[in-house]
Amino acid sequence: MKWQRFVSVPVFLAIILLGFVYYVTIFIFLEDWLGLQSSAGSLNALIFTLLASLCVFSFSICVLTEPGHVPSTYVPDVEDIGASDQGSTKTGVQGRHCDKCSAYKPPRAHHCRSCRRCILKMDHHCKWINNCVGYRNYKAFLVLLLYATMATIYSSVVIISCAVQKDWNFTEKIPLKIFYIVSGMMIPGLSLTLGTLLGWHIYLVIHNMTTIEVFGPNMLKWLCPTAVSHLKDGIAFPTTRDNS
């Protein structure tokens, strides 16, 4: 069952972290800064709630979507067989044979030890979603990183703004100061980590494949993690020369 992927300690911790960031941002820092009853506070709460909801939705898609497995009927192309006879075994058919699955695997497919099967265009196995990041959920993973980075940056701005305008001329609330300091270090650090990971994957997309291959030709659907109708079988990856 796909829902069983949620039964995982890292997934549970990720959900707890998301809930913690949402709670402290809205009900502690934003309330202390602008007040949730004000128009500015309500607007900021609405924007951050939207970002958090998009994070939850994208996270669920990453967990529940199959990354893509190699069809049992897959066999290498005849041209690949000819190339393997002339080239090295690392780039030929023998190099694309999975000993653990006892089957051939297409280009960019790799065997995952955690999933115990070959994954199409496998990027890595992510313990935080208890799933592989592969051909069919790679877009959802990128969109999740985007929304999560935006949400944590937004939260960092709220925390800093709240800390700047707050009156710190008191000594009886030392635990509150510690909470502000810890939150001010943790959430911006989280946004930096997520932003770095997002930038790294954008770099990989730009240098390893076209943006169209991941996001699709319709720009209006780029930020929707479920808009993957442009994906094919994940076995063949045509190049510009192949289409000319």
Side-chain angles (χ1 to χ4, degrees), residues 1 16 22 38 42 49-50 71 78 90 126-127 132-133 136 141-142 144-145 168 186 196 232:
M1 293 292 292
I16 292 296
Y22 178 80
S38 64
S42 299
T49 300
L50 176 61
V78 176
K90 292 184 179 180
C126 181
K127 63 180 181 180
C132 270
V133 178
R136 300 198 177 278
F141 181 75
L142 284 177
L144 170 62
L145 289 179
W168 294 107
M186 184 189 72
T196 302
K232 305 304 180 183

Side-chain angles (χ1 to χ4, degrees), residues 16-26 48 155 186-187 190:
I16 292 296
L17 179 61
L18 178 60
F20 171 79
V21 173
Y22 178 80
Y23 179 83
V24 299
T25 301
I26 297 293
F48 188 75
S155 177
M186 184 189 72
I187 297 181
L190 182 61

Side-chain angles (χ1 to χ4, degrees), residues 44-122:
N44 279 274
L46 179 62
I47 295 175
F48 188 75
T49 300
L50 176 61
L51 289 175
S53 300
L54 291 173
C55 286
V56 173
F57 178 64
S58 300
F59 180 80
S60 301
I61 296 299
C62 286
V63 174
L64 297 176
T65 301
E66 288 289 339
H69 64 278
V70 179
S72 58
T73 58
Y74 170 77
V75 291
D77 191 14
V78 176
E79 295 181 357
D80 291 337
I81 297 177
S84 66
D85 293 337
Q86 300 176 5
S88 64
T89 58
K90 292 184 179 180
T91 57
V93 177
Q94 295 181 6
R96 296 177 185 170
H97 186 273
C98 179
D99 296 331
K100 297 180 180 179
C101 294
S102 299
Y104 292 114
K105 54 184 178 182
R108 303 186 184 181
H110 298 279
H111 186 88
C112 176
R113 296 180 180 179
S114 299
C115 297
R116 297 180 181 179
R117 59 177 178 172
C118 287
I119 304 298
L120 293 175
K121 194 187 168 296
M122 178 179 173

Side-chain angles (χ1 to χ4, degrees), residues 176-196:
L176 181 61
K177 288 185 177 181
I178 297 177
F179 178 76
Y180 267 75
I181 294 175
V182 172
S183 299
M185 295 177 59
M186 184 189 72
I187 297 181
L190 182 61
S191 65
L192 179 61
T193 302
L194 292 172
T196 302

